[in-house]
Amino acid sequence: VYVLDKSGSMSSKLGKENSQSCIVLAKQAFIELYESLNDDDAISLISIDDEAYEVLSLTNVKDIKSGKIKNYNSLEELIQTINDITAC
């Protein structure tokens, strides 16, 4: 279970020369985590600010790779949804 804080403080800049926001780095970390998992592993994503939102329910990596993702038509759609998450 990966929890992504999307509160206002996540718009703060970090990274090389303070060029990337915390939220961008956190989303990149989720994608890198997903890419490092084996097909038999499972992953989920919850975003939080004042409330919690289930972005991705617990799903096997092999199902994600094959496009069998609850509430999404494809891996690309899931990635776009993650990329659209902004700090509030």
Side-chain angles (χ1 to χ4, degrees):
V1 176
Y2 189 92
V3 178
L4 177 65
D5 178 2
K6 64 176 198 159
S7 65
S9 64
M10 292 297 284
S11 62
S12 300
K13 301 290 184 181
L14 285 178
K16 295 178 182 175
E17 303 174 13
N18 290 332
S19 62
Q20 293 181 304
S21 68
C22 295
I23 190 80
V24 167
L25 294 171
K27 291 187 291 187
Q28 288 174 350
F30 174 80
I31 298 297
E32 290 176 17
L33 170 65
Y34 161 74
E35 291 173 346
S36 73
L37 297 174
N38 297 316
D39 284 352
D40 293 332
D41 293 328
I43 191 168
S44 66
L45 175 61
I46 308 296
S47 66
I48 60 167
D49 50 23
D50 294 339
E51 297 182 34
Y53 307 91
E54 184 180 67
V55 178
L56 174 65
S57 59
L58 190 61
T59 307
N60 286 331
V61 170
K62 66 182 171 190
D63 289 338
I64 294 171
K65 288 180 179 177
S66 67
K68 297 175 186 172
I69 313 165
K70 182 178 178 183
N71 299 326
Y72 299 97
N73 294 317
S74 65
L75 175 57
E76 292 77 20
E77 184 180 350
L78 171 61
I79 291 171
Q80 184 61 51
T81 298
I82 293 168
N83 285 331
D84 289 345
I85 296 171
T86 58
C88 313

